[in-house]
Amino acid sequence: MAPIDSINQLVESHNKENKVMIWSKSYCPFCKKVKEIFNNINQPYKAYELDLEANGAEIQEALLAKTGQKTVPNVFVANKHLGGASDTEAAFKEGRLTQLLSGDDKEYDYDLFVVGGGSGGLACSKEAVKYGAKVAVADFVKPTPKGSQWGIGGTCVNVGCIPKKLMHQAALLGESLTDAKAYGWSTPEKNTHNWETMVQAIQDHIRSLNWGYKVQLRQQNVKYYNKYASLVDKNTLKLVDRSGKEETVTARNIVLATGGRPIYPDVPGAKECCITSDDIFSLPYAPGKTLFIGASYISLECAGFLHGLGYDTTVMVRSILLRGFDQEMANRIGDYMEQEGIKFLKGYNIVKFEKLEEGTPGKVRVTYKNAEDKIESAEYDSVVLAVGRKPLIDDVGVQNAGVQLHEKSGFVITDNADRTNVDNIYCIGDLAEGKPELTPVAIQAGRLLAKRIFAGAQKKCDYENVATTVFTPLEYGACGLSEEDAIKKYGDENVTTYHSNFTPLEATVAHRLDNGCYAKLICNKTDDERVIGMHVVGPNAGEMIQGFALAFKTGATKEHFDDLIGIHPTNAEIFTTLDKTKAEDPAVTGC
Ligand code: FAD
Ligand code: NDP
């Protein structure tokens, strides 16, 4: 029999050296259950199987003397006695396990507090509870200057992707009604659209999503605060509700996911006379003759659907369309929109806005100037500002916790694991400096972050080569480099671009889009013609590029695309038959 001291020493050293120590028996189902809990959260553990060791019975006696527990499993976490199977399970379910694992002895109200219940914040909080963390999320929407406000779910659900795509669809349906005539359908001489009906139907859908999120949070045990959250220090948050009532909570980890809101330029009358994308999707009256200011995603998408719904639409462009995108593609989108009847005021800057008439929508005089300072003005029923978005961080108290912001942009600086300069404070989604401002990016970052904090995972969000689509009347899908960036990066001589026009079969009967769509693959000659950029302008480009993005991500070459047998007749098959380089005419004839 080993001396008691050496057995005690063995127990002590095992408990000390292993973050999770399970005194176990190899056949015991309760021990298996406990191991499963740690396996599920990717937490390594050491199991000492007492039935397989000669000193097992003596160790069990020593454990009884130390803990008052005779049964197995006997679990220690961070050298602290946790208990048996039911104790471990309860600690996991109540979120205490992650606290014990962190080795931080302080008691906090939450293991994780997420500020912002948008795409990123909701994804992160729902993932974190899966690993037993005690989680809360605060979401609060300050009304726009015009008074628009909305429920939980953030930008995407309420004033972004969802209503935008539905209005895009409303416009495409109008186009289909026109095409339908050519296919033999009897339709009215002039199709008319009711703005109020569309807005009501879309808002009803959004409200059902808001409701669904609240139910999910309740069912998954995430505490939801419909309160404005701000940092008091690195572990403390102040929560204020709509009536001004305050409370304070503490959290071991904090995720900032407050997103952004539209910018109002510093121009007289901007706030008084204009609306933004935060207002347009719930606008209770038809906007009438509308001017969009800005020339990127939001402006072009909203101008596209408004024109499709029958409104007189103008876009004011101060420089180029879709900065950062392949400019050949951006101009093809612009040309198509212009051809369809959308007006473009190119090379103009805003001078002032004046309200001429109150009303729904009322009337605004817009004064603008060109590069030679020539002043012009025009009247519009509605003016939509789409000049970029600013981070929602001003009142979040980051200075109280020492969180560093980007000097110029004001967005939160993070490392490649989404951590700020403060060790327990993270940031994901639109609020993070230099990351693509897209819903799936925020969701992926949120999920992976929760796994890293609470489940011992290592994987980080890959922010490179994220596929995206601009939902203009002819959609534009892209993944990877623009042609100009490819040439800049690899040199003109090392880049081959294959391209082709195409005509969607479904548009031929209505005599639309004759050679009006376009696809290109940009390849790196020095690397087996690996595809480094792919771009397409055409119907459903978003659906197309989503599938091909996987090939892109897994390193497909031009030969892989050539070897792929297409599905006929589809638009996507164009990528399997690209045989003309930029030196050749991309027009096609025949099937
Ligand atoms: P958000 O979704 O903005 O959520 C942040 C939430 O935090 C908000 O509800 C906010 O009110 C709340 N909040 C802020 N401060 C506090 C605080 N102190 N306390 C409590 N709550 C707070 N992306 C796509 O991928 N595809 C698209 O088609 C697309 N279309 C878009 C169209 C438009 C018009 C816009 C504006 C954006 C679009 N986006 C699109 C971008 C997408 O919506 C965002 O990238 C995404 O919503 C970002 O998610 P997030 O979680 O970072 O922030
Ligand atoms: P962007 O920041 O992409 O573009 C702002 C536009 O406004 C640019 O064309 C810019 O011109 C112009 N602009 C800026 N300041 C002024 C000014 N003072 N006067 C006139 N024009 C001005 O913003 P968006 O709001 O379009 O989009 C924000 C983000 O939201 C996007 O980056 C995207 O990630 C996301 N989004 C995604 C969508 C999708 O996935 N389909 C759809 C909508 C948004 P200039 O180039 O000269 O600076």
Side-chain angles (χ1 to χ4, degrees):
M1 196 162 130
I4 289 185
D5 272 359
S6 73
I7 290 289
N8 282 342
Q9 246 173 33
L10 182 147
V11 169
E12 292 305 328
S13 64
H14 275 69
N15 286 345
K16 219 177 193 168
E17 282 158 21
N18 299 288
K19 192 156 200 183
V20 175
M21 184 64 216
I22 305 173
W23 301 98
S24 162
K25 285 187 181 163
S26 60
Y27 54 80
C28 162
F30 298 104
C31 298
K32 276 202 187 104
K33 209 167 164 184
V34 155
K35 288 171 197 165
E36 254 169 42
I37 291 178
F38 290 107
N39 283 334
N40 286 341
I41 61 170
N42 284 332
Q43 174 59 52
Y45 56 80
K46 166 93 182 165
Y48 197 104
E49 307 297 352
L50 298 174
D51 58 314
L52 303 180
E53 302 289 342
N55 57 4
E58 293 159 70
I59 292 177
Q60 202 161 1
E61 283 305 318
L63 286 168
L64 172 63
K66 183 178 171 68
T67 64
Q69 180 187 328
K70 179 143 203 226
T71 54
V72 289
N74 199 335
V75 181
F76 286 74
V77 173
N79 202 15
K80 286 208 172 61
H81 183 232
L82 175 58
S86 51
D87 300 307
T88 309
E89 204 170 16
F92 171 68
K93 284 196 175 141
E94 291 158 19
R96 284 181 290 111
L97 194 54
T98 48
Q99 177 180 337
L100 287 169
L101 284 166
S102 76
D104 181 348
D105 272 351
K106 281 197 217 111
E107 284 287 328
Y108 296 99
D109 298 323
Y110 296 103
D111 295 308
L112 174 67
F113 196 100
V114 180
V115 186
S119 310
L122 289 179
C124 185
S125 55
K126 288 189 283 187
E127 187 69 29
V129 283
K130 288 188 191 162
Y131 311 107
K134 194 173 174 197
V135 182
V137 58
D139 190 62
F140 190 89
V141 178
K142 289 189 179 173
T144 68
K146 204 176 158 54
S148 311
Q149 53 185 314
W150 48 90
I152 187 170
T155 303
C156 167
V157 170
N158 296 284
V159 286
C161 330
I162 300 295
K164 182 275 308 289
K165 183 80 188 290
L166 293 174
M167 291 197 178
H168 173 60
Q169 171 65 7
L172 292 181
L173 284 172
E175 202 170 70
S176 296
L177 284 172
T178 310
D179 283 4
K181 266 200 186 84
Y183 279 94
W185 288 97
S186 303
T187 55
E189 206 41 54
K190 188 173 176 352
N191 298 315
T192 54
H193 178 262
N194 185 300
W195 174 269
E196 289 83 355
T197 305
M198 176 189 70
V199 167
Q200 185 62 50
I202 291 174
Q203 290 300 318
D204 285 349
H205 175 63
I206 290 172
R207 270 188 277 279
S208 77
L209 295 176
N210 299 144
W211 171 253
Y213 286 130
K214 279 199 228 171
V215 171
Q216 276 175 12
L217 292 181
R218 198 172 330 121
Q219 283 173 344
Q220 293 173 29
N221 254 337
V222 177
K223 171 76 181 164
Y224 164 52
Y225 291 95
N226 182 205
K227 299 185 179 188
Y228 192 86
S230 57
L231 294 161
V232 176
D233 60 42
K234 74 191 270 282
N235 292 106
T236 312
L237 295 121
K238 183 172 80 177
L239 307 176
V240 185
D241 72 10
R242 223 163 271 283
S243 67
K245 209 167 118 213
E246 283 185 19
E247 69 177 292
T248 300
V249 295
T250 58
R252 177 168 294 103
N253 299 288
I254 293 171
V255 172
L256 301 175
T258 56
R261 291 286 284 267
I263 293 172
Y264 286 81
D266 190 13
V267 169
K271 276 201 174 140
E272 300 75 19
C273 302
C274 303
I275 60 171
T276 68
S277 57
D278 279 358
D279 303 297
I280 196 165
F281 302 113
S282 59
L283 204 64
Y285 51 83
K289 180 184 172 190
T290 303
L291 172 69
F292 287 87
I293 298 173
S296 199
Y297 274 99
I298 295 180
S299 180
L300 297 183
E301 289 184 339
C302 296
F305 71 66
L306 225 58
H307 171 76
L309 298 175
Y311 299 96
D312 181 328
T313 308
T314 306
V315 178
M316 187 183 285
V317 185
R318 72 170 178 186
S319 59
I320 55 169
L321 301 184
L322 286 171
R323 184 175 299 284
F325 280 91
D326 188 291
Q327 282 301 294
E328 180 187 21
M329 306 306 277
N331 291 329
R332 278 176 184 271
I333 289 179
D335 291 347
Y336 179 75
M337 289 173 76
E338 216 162 349
Q339 202 180 301
E340 290 291 290
I342 296 173
K343 285 164 263 185
F344 282 84
L345 284 170
K346 290 185 181 158
Y348 285 98
N349 271 296
I350 283 295
V351 175
K352 63 178 172 184
F353 304 100
E354 293 161 285
K355 193 112 201 158
L356 299 179
E357 264 174 45
E358 292 296 339
T360 51
K363 211 159 270 313
V364 177
R365 180 186 294 130
V366 183
T367 305
Y368 43 92
K369 61 177 182 187
N370 66 10
E372 286 80 46
D373 279 349
K374 186 174 163 237
I375 302 268
E376 291 177 48
S377 70
E379 288 173 20
Y380 295 91
D381 300 326
S382 299
V383 180
V384 183
L385 296 169
V387 294
R389 295 172 63 79
K390 65 181 176 69
L392 257 189
I393 199 71
D394 289 355
D395 305 322
V396 180
V398 284
Q399 67 287 354
N400 300 330
V403 174
Q404 220 180 334
L405 304 182
H406 190 270
E407 214 176 314
K408 277 201 185 125
S409 70
F411 288 84
V412 174
I413 298 172
T414 52
D415 64 14
N416 68 355
D418 305 309
R419 199 193 287 259
T420 70
N421 59 310
V422 181
D423 61 351
N424 69 318
I425 302 183
Y426 303 82
C427 173
I428 53 167
D430 283 9
L431 184 63
E433 161 66 24
K435 309 281 161 62
E437 291 173 36
L438 298 168
T439 284
V441 172
I443 292 174
Q444 178 85 330
R447 282 199 187 134
L448 292 176
L449 175 62
K451 283 185 207 231
R452 288 198 302 276
I453 301 178
F454 297 109
Q458 299 293 319
K459 196 180 273 180
K460 294 174 188 134
C461 185
D462 180 1
Y463 291 105
E464 293 298 313
N465 294 325
V466 175
T468 183
T469 290
V470 188
F471 293 95
T472 32
L474 259 192
E475 295 178 11
Y476 165 30
C479 189
L481 297 175
S482 65
E483 198 172 341
E484 46 273 45
D485 283 350
I487 289 170
K488 212 182 285 166
K489 185 165 178 184
Y490 295 102
D492 200 5
E493 64 288 5
N494 296 322
V495 170
T496 308
T497 299
Y498 295 89
H499 70 160
S500 180
N501 286 116
F502 62 98
T503 307
L505 179 65
E506 51 275 29
T508 52
V509 171
H511 304 292
R512 283 197 305 116
L513 294 174
D514 187 22
N515 263 309
C517 302
Y518 181 73
K520 68 177 174 184
L521 279 183
I522 303 161
C523 305
N524 180 358
K525 271 197 233 174
T526 64
D527 184 19
D528 292 335
E529 288 208 309
R530 198 160 314 280
V531 177
I532 49 176
M534 60 185 307
H535 303 263
V536 58
V537 167
N540 301 310
E543 305 296 340
M544 252 194 255
I545 214 78
Q546 178 66 86
F548 282 120
L550 180 62
F552 189 99
K553 208 167 166 58
T554 49
T557 61
K558 176 66 168 57
E559 194 179 348
H560 288 122
F561 277 86
D562 294 342
D563 289 348
L564 181 66
I565 296 177
I567 301 172
H568 189 65
T570 63
N571 294 326
E573 67 180 316
I574 193 68
F575 279 113
T576 67
T577 58
L578 290 177
D579 56 2
K580 290 176 182 161
T581 66
K582 264 306 178 67
E584 296 158 275
D585 181 0
V588 284
T589 51
C591 185

